[in-house]
Amino acid sequence: AGNMAKSKFEYVRQFELDDRCLPNTWIVVRVDGKGFHKFSDSHGYAKPNDERALRLMSRSASAVMDEFKEICVAYGQSDEYSFVFRKEAQAYSRRSSKLATNVCSLFTSAFVYHWSEYFDSAKPQYPPVFDGRTVLYPSDHNMRDYLSWRQADCHINNLYNTTFWALVLKGGLTPHEAEERLKGTLSGDKNEILFSQFGVNYNTEPELYRKGTVLVRRRGPVPLPNGGTRDKSQIFQSNTDLIGEDFWKENSHLLNS
Ligand code: ATP
Ligand code: ATP
Ligand code: MG
Ligand code: MG
Ligand code: MG
Ligand code: MG
């Protein structure tokens, strides 16, 4: 209630520092699972990629975008998701810790809330933890490079993990031997091992694994009861490339605002 008189303790509020983000700047909040190497093991994630887990991550990210309408695009891979707020975003007066903690907390609770829709158990064995951070990007170029960085990371890790697990699960190597085999190899070498030893063409692996997941908010047609359609702002999910120009041409509204 707002009718409380100020107590003599009130001054301690002055110890809180102003952490408002610079105006007119892209705000990115990234969440990442804590110790998910272990969490994925103890919950029987398929190696190298558990599709259920990736879909649960994107379900949780959609819950965040439903709540925070100023998030225009999000990108996820492995145990992480990045949320890009429009440059003009005003949520929580752009207070950095408010943004990071609210996004991170909603993401984590949605991950647990929706768990049973993706896994054959009512809830995880122990409460999962995600960290969250806020990073500012002053130019469109910087923001695009940020997303390219995360997608390049997805590619590098997935090529390594796909080859590593092929050597272990199909090639009969121990994890230590597989690690030794891959030491110092370049992308081309890993592609070659996959193809010549296991008949796997890396480029035909699912895009969900190679590219990660993009959630973009844009207007599009939704069906009406009368059979027609109406344009409405919605979240579109894809496993597309963010590094080239095509995505940004198809979604020019993201940059021209
Ligand atoms: P904000 O998002 O700004 O924090 P808020 O609605 O959470 O908004 P608070 O000032 O944090 O506002 O107050 C929390 C409110 O939640 C209380 O005013 C009360 O109405 C309700 N509430 C919290 N805990 C309890 C409880 N144990 N029993 C009954 N009501 C509670
Ligand atoms: P930290 O707390 O420092 O983030 P971490 O163990 O979570 O440590 P990350 O670098 O974040 O390390 O890597 C996440 C790990 O979680 C991956 O290396 C992989 O082992 C596992 N993992 C995450 N998502 C999946 C998935 N969908 N399928 C299989 N394994 C996954
Ligand atoms: Mg990490
Ligand atoms: Mg992690
Ligand atoms: Mg990670
Ligand atoms: Mg409250």
Side-chain angles (χ1 to χ4, degrees):
N3 60 358
M4 262 189 313
K6 286 197 175 186
S7 72
K8 65 174 178 177
F9 308 120
E10 188 82 11
Y11 78 97
V12 297
R13 178 183 280 287
Q14 307 308 317
F15 284 55
E16 288 184 18
L17 300 178
D18 183 356
D19 68 344
R20 278 173 295 183
C21 295
L22 190 73
N24 196 36
T25 306
W26 297 101
I27 301 172
V28 173
V29 174
R30 179 168 77 255
V31 301
D32 184 284
K34 176 178 191 282
F36 261 50
H37 188 75
K38 172 175 162 246
F39 185 89
S40 59
D41 269 351
S42 51
H43 291 83
Y45 279 26
K47 292 291 174 184
N49 288 293
D50 190 289
E51 186 178 342
R52 302 164 300 175
L54 293 172
R55 300 211 178 282
L56 173 57
M57 291 288 290
S58 293
R59 178 67 189 83
S60 309
S62 295
V64 171
M65 284 184 79
D66 281 337
E67 180 69 22
F68 296 97
K69 306 289 189 201
E70 292 169 318
I71 296 171
C72 56
V73 55
Y75 173 72
Q77 52 122 339
S78 183
D79 68 339
E80 68 171 62
Y81 240 98
S82 297
F83 299 93
V84 180
F85 285 79
R86 299 169 50 227
K87 291 170 88 164
E88 309 77 9
Q90 287 303 328
Y92 298 110
S93 305
R94 301 174 67 84
R95 289 163 67 186
S96 176
S97 63
K98 283 277 197 181
L99 290 169
T101 59
N102 275 281
V103 165
C104 188
S105 173
L106 176 53
F107 185 92
T108 306
S109 67
F111 187 91
V112 175
Y113 187 83
H114 294 291
W115 174 269
S116 66
E117 298 162 29
Y118 296 84
F119 288 87
D120 294 328
S121 50
K123 58 186 185 182
Q125 291 168 25
Y126 58 89
V129 177
F130 288 83
D131 69 34
R133 73 190 74 183
T134 303
V135 188
L136 296 181
Y137 291 104
S139 69
D140 294 359
H141 182 78
N142 293 154
M143 184 273 284
R144 283 184 53 176
D145 280 353
Y146 170 80
L147 292 172
S148 298
W149 174 50
R150 297 324 305 151
Q151 192 164 53
D153 184 82
C154 175
H155 166 72
I156 292 163
N157 288 334
N158 190 58
L159 179 57
Y160 182 93
N161 292 337
T162 303
T163 316
F164 177 90
W165 285 104
L167 288 167
V168 171
L169 297 176
K170 301 179 197 168
L173 267 59
T174 65
H176 179 73
E177 288 167 344
E179 203 181 314
E180 288 299 314
R181 175 69 187 85
L182 290 175
K183 234 171 225 166
T185 55
L186 305 175
S187 291
D189 304 323
K190 295 185 193 74
N191 273 294
E192 184 55 28
I193 293 173
L194 281 174
F195 193 72
S196 59
Q197 251 184 285
F198 304 106
V200 171
N201 178 355
Y202 182 73
N203 292 319
T204 60
E205 287 287 291
E207 287 198 309
L208 170 64
Y209 304 158
R210 287 186 295 120
K211 303 282 187 195
T213 303
V214 181
L215 300 178
V216 59
R217 195 190 304 283
R218 84 168 103 86
R219 295 186 76 78
V222 287
L224 290 174
N226 67 15
T229 63
R230 186 170 68 94
D231 264 12
K232 193 170 173 280
S233 184
Q234 294 166 81
I235 298 166
F236 290 87
Q237 182 172 326
S238 65
N239 307 106
T240 194
D241 175 78
L242 290 173
I243 297 175
E245 293 300 323
D246 290 359
F247 173 83
W248 300 99
K249 282 185 181 141
E250 286 158 24
N251 293 281
S252 56
H253 67 285
L254 293 174
L255 300 177
N256 306 327
S257 68

